[in-house]
Amino acid sequence: MIKNDIATFKAEVVTVNLADPRVVWSVPDPDEAELVSLNPIDGQTVTVRLLDTLGVGESVTLRATSVFDNTKYDEATITPGT
């Protein structure tokens, strides 16, 4: 990805007993957080805009944390060429 590229990510959450399926999107690494802008669309989807071009070996990890149980999360990694 290069500067100003935009990507959309959606968390697919399976719940039981009517638990809240929403997630909170974040970038856990403060250095990586400076490279992106997150724009939540709904409780499961986010658009990510790259604020600078990622070089070889650089990446940004996104985290989707459950609103219902904040000990549950999953991550996706953005790397050059993705």
Side-chain angles (χ1 to χ4, degrees):
M1 292 182 71
I2 61 173
K3 185 176 181 176
N4 291 322
D5 273 358
I6 296 174
T8 302
F9 292 83
K10 180 171 181 145
E12 294 185 28
V13 180
V14 177
T15 64
V16 294
N17 297 329
L18 302 174
D20 191 338
R22 295 176 299 148
V23 298
V24 174
W25 289 94
S26 63
V27 178
D29 182 318
D31 292 332
E32 292 178 11
E34 295 177 3
L35 297 173
V36 296
S37 171
L38 302 180
N39 182 28
I41 296 173
D42 57 30
Q44 295 176 318
T45 309
V46 67
T47 58
V48 180
R49 183 169 64 89
L50 199 58
L51 301 176
D52 201 357
T53 299
L54 294 177
V56 174
E58 291 184 308
S59 64
V60 175
T61 300
L62 302 177
R63 180 178 288 178
T65 303
S66 168
V67 169
F68 179 72
D69 179 354
N70 67 5
T71 66
K72 307 290 188 221
Y73 64 89
D74 203 355
E75 297 178 336
T77 302
I78 301 171
T79 59
T82 60

